[in-house]
Every structure is written in structure tokens, then in C-alpha cells.
């Protein structure tokens, strides 16, 4: 990570813009998690998993540059995935093997019983006990007997700053904000960082300039505008935005002691989105 004072000062300004308030105003005693949803290809993660036990682990790049195949779904080469604390919503047809497996669980096993949502660590125990694995999830999804929703928890150190650094790909400094050709060849979803938005109305351009005024570095300004803040699909002619990407994470935010502090749609209709979720602490 680049630790120069100037770059860290720029990041503090950028994060405050993205959070809608000063970074230092958020509770440092709370835990902050970065969540990632990608609904473009819901089966890709399961196709890439090497074994069912990976549901219960943190998958990270190794020091020598090796990467578990499942990390191809990430938005940065330095990302890891905390699959054990990621969330999997499984909605099977009645009478299927997945329905029987879920019915065998006590209510306490679920993060959300109504939405049949389980943490990855629970899947790592449940699936092999019923002779099931990632390939069976792919097969059942393809034949229409299982609907799957995935909310991935990206591996971070629990601080708000690390969640924001990871979300914005800013650890390597201004030169690392956008993926280069080699990175794009490894990761499956980097095209969100090549879209620079539609032509803005004068009012929307003025709103952009107002929002980004605290950030001095032009590359960082462009980066946090698109794809994070520029939502042309939700932006009115006067520059205001209707709706909020946070609704995609309401199943997480509805839990006691939990709140979404920021969320961003990185593509049209929210197929790719990120959210920073706070747990515990004394509140903002």
C-alpha cells in the first residue's frame, strides 16, 4: 500500500465524499465489512470453487502471486474473499435434495430463515453431509430447481478505512485505480471501470463538481465519480439521484446492531454493487 502523506490525505477526502460525511466522524470502535454482489453470472463462483470446504474459508492471493480460481469474480487482484462469512440465499423447489438439506437445519443455523440465507461456513458443513457440492448448485441452478443469491464478504481488516481502500482499489496509489490489460485478463468483471458515463447536463456537471471539490488528484476525482458516484440511470436532469443502492443489502442491514454506511451501484440496474456495513460500536 502507498502510505505517502499526500496520497493518504487525498484518500481521506475521497472517502468522506463517498461516505457522505467526514471519515473521522464514523465510530472507530465499530467493525466495518465490505460486501459485493454480482448478479450477472450467479453460477460463476460455484463453477470456480475447487471443493466444498472452501465455503468455510478465507480465500486470499498468496505472497508469490498465486490465486485460488474463485477470486476471478473479484474486482481487484489484491482482493480476498471471506467465504465463511459470505451469505448464500438458497431457494430450492420442494422435494429436491437442496430442500431436504435445508429442512434438516435448525432455525439458528440461518442468518435469515425467511430468505433461507446461510453463511458460507454453514454451507461447508451442510452440503457434504447431504452428498452435495458446488457442482450440484450449478446443475440445480441451470435446470431451474434452485435459485441462488450471493452476497460476498470481501476480506478486510475490519476498519472503515481498509473497507474503503479495498472498495476503491486505491491501495496501490493513483496508478492502480483502474485495471490494466493484464489484470482485466485475469478477472471476470473489470469493465465497470472502463465506463466513464454519459454526457452530463449542466446541472448534473455542477453537482459533480460540487461533490468532488474536496478531492485534488484528478485521477482520483475521475475514479470516484465513475463508477461509484455517477449513476446516470438514477440521476435527474438537475443532478439529484433518486433511490439508493443500499436497498440491495437490506437483508444484512435489517439485523440488530447493523447498518449500511455506504453503497454503490457500479453498473446499470445494480447487477454489480458494493456496500460497507457497520456492526457494533456506539453509532455515528
Amino acid at each position: 500500500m502507498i502510505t505517502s502523506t499526500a496520497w493518504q490525505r487525498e484518500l481521506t477526502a475521497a472517502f468522506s465524499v463517498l461516505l457522505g460525511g467526514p471519515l473521522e466522524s464514523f465510530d472507530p470502535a465499530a467493525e466495518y465489512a465490505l460486501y459485493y454482489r454480482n448478479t450477472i453470472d450467479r453460477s460463476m463462483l460455484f463453477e470456480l470453487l475447487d471443493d466444498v470446504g472452501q465455503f468455510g474459508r478465507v480465500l486470499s492471493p498468496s505472497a508469490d502471486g498465486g490465486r485460488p480460481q474463485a477470486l476471478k469474480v473479484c474486482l481487484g487482484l489484491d482482493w480476498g474473499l471471506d467465504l465463511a462469512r459470505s451469505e448464500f440465499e438458497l431457494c430450492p423447489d420442494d422435494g429436491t435434495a437442496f430442500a431436504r438439506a435445508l429442512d434438516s437445519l435448525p432455525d439458528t443455523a440461518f442468518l435469515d430463515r425467511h430468505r433461507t440465507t446461510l453463511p458460507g461456513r454453514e454451507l461447508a458443513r451442510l452440503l457434504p453431509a447431504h452428498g452435495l457440492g458446488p457442482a450440484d448448485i450449478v446443475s440445480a441452478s441451470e435446470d431451474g430447481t434452485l435459485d441462488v443469491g450471493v452476497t460476498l464478504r470481501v476480506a478486510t481488516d475490519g476498519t472503515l478505512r481498509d473497507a474503503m481502500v479495498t472498495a476503491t482499489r486505491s491501495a496501490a496509489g493513483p496508478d492502480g485505480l483502474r485495471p490494466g490489460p493484464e489484470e482485466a485478463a485475469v478477472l471476470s468483471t473489470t469493465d465497470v471501470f472502463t465506463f466513464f458515463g454519459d454526457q452530463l447536463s449542466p446541472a448534473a456537471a455542477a453537482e459533480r463538481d460540487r461533490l468532488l471539490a474536496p478531492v485534488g488528484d484528478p485521477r482520483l476525482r475521475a475514479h470516484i465519480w465513475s463508477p461509484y458516484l455517477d449513476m446516470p440511470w438514477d440521476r435527474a436532469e438537475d443532478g439529484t439521484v433518486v433511490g439508493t443502492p443500499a436497498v440491495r443489502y437490506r437483508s444484512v442491514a435489517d439485523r440488530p446492531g447493523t447498518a449500511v454506511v455506504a453503497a454503490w451501484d457500479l453498473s446499470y440496474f445494480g447487477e454489480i454493487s458494493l456496500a460497507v456495513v457497520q456492526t457494533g460500536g456506539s453509532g455515528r
Side-chain angles (χ1 to χ4, degrees):
M1 176 184 293
I2 290 185
T3 58
S4 72
T5 301
W7 180 242
Q8 293 305 314
R9 187 167 54 246
E10 289 284 3
L11 290 184
T12 296
F15 297 163
S16 297
V17 170
L18 288 168
L19 291 165
L23 181 68
E24 60 272 16
S25 71
F26 289 83
D27 190 347
E31 180 180 19
Y32 297 89
L34 175 62
Y35 287 95
Y36 164 49
R37 290 177 60 87
N38 182 344
T39 62
I40 293 176
D41 187 346
R42 298 188 182 191
S43 295
M44 178 177 290
L45 174 71
F46 307 109
E47 293 170 348
L48 294 171
L49 288 173
D50 295 328
D51 64 80
V52 70
Q54 288 184 315
F55 282 117
R57 303 175 198 152
V58 176
L59 305 184
S60 303
S62 63
D64 63 2
R67 297 169 51 80
Q69 287 293 305
L71 296 186
K72 286 184 177 180
V73 304
C74 294
L75 296 180
L77 285 178
D78 59 345
W79 275 26
L81 295 177
D82 186 346
L83 291 186
R85 292 192 287 178
S86 293
E87 306 192 2
F88 299 87
E89 183 178 343
L90 305 177
C91 299
D93 286 357
D94 292 340
T96 62
F98 282 100
R100 291 189 293 272
L102 292 171
D103 287 343
S104 72
L105 291 173
D107 288 351
T108 54
F110 293 88
L111 293 168
D112 186 324
R113 186 65 180 91
H114 175 69
R115 294 187 174 94
T116 56
T117 302
L118 295 168
R121 59 179 175 271
E122 194 64 48
L123 274 186
R125 292 190 288 265
L126 176 69
L127 295 182
H130 292 266
L132 299 168
D136 298 296
I137 295 177
V138 175
S139 178
S141 297
E142 290 177 347
D143 67 23
T145 60
L146 177 67
D147 188 30
V148 182
V150 180
T151 302
L152 292 169
R153 181 164 174 151
V154 183
T156 63
D157 67 7
T159 65
L160 179 55
R161 192 174 192 89
D162 193 48
M164 296 299 294
V165 166
T166 305
T168 57
R169 297 173 43 94
S170 54
D175 292 334
L177 294 172
R178 301 280 175 168
E182 291 183 5
E183 187 174 2
V186 173
L187 303 178
S188 64
T189 314
T190 56
D191 53 349
V192 295
F193 296 106
T194 62
F195 175 71
F196 289 92
D198 299 324
Q199 184 69 35
L200 295 178
S201 68
E207 175 65 6
R208 175 200 60 199
D209 294 343
R210 182 191 70 80
L211 285 172
L212 299 178
V215 184
D217 188 289
R219 290 169 293 183
L220 187 56
R221 286 169 60 92
H223 183 66
I224 67 170
W225 176 250
S226 177
Y228 297 90
L229 294 175
D230 181 23
M231 296 184 289
W233 48 91
D234 288 331
R235 189 176 295 281
E237 281 296 307
D238 64 0
T240 58
V241 173
V242 295
T244 171
V247 299
R248 309 190 195 289
Y249 297 86
R250 61 182 178 272
S251 62
V252 179
D254 285 347
R255 294 172 200 147
T258 301
V260 175
V261 299
W264 310 280
D265 281 345
L266 305 188
S267 63
Y268 279 93
F269 310 116
E271 300 100 332
I272 300 172
S273 61
L274 297 170
V276 176
V277 175
Q278 174 184 337
T279 304
S282 57
R284 184 178 163 182

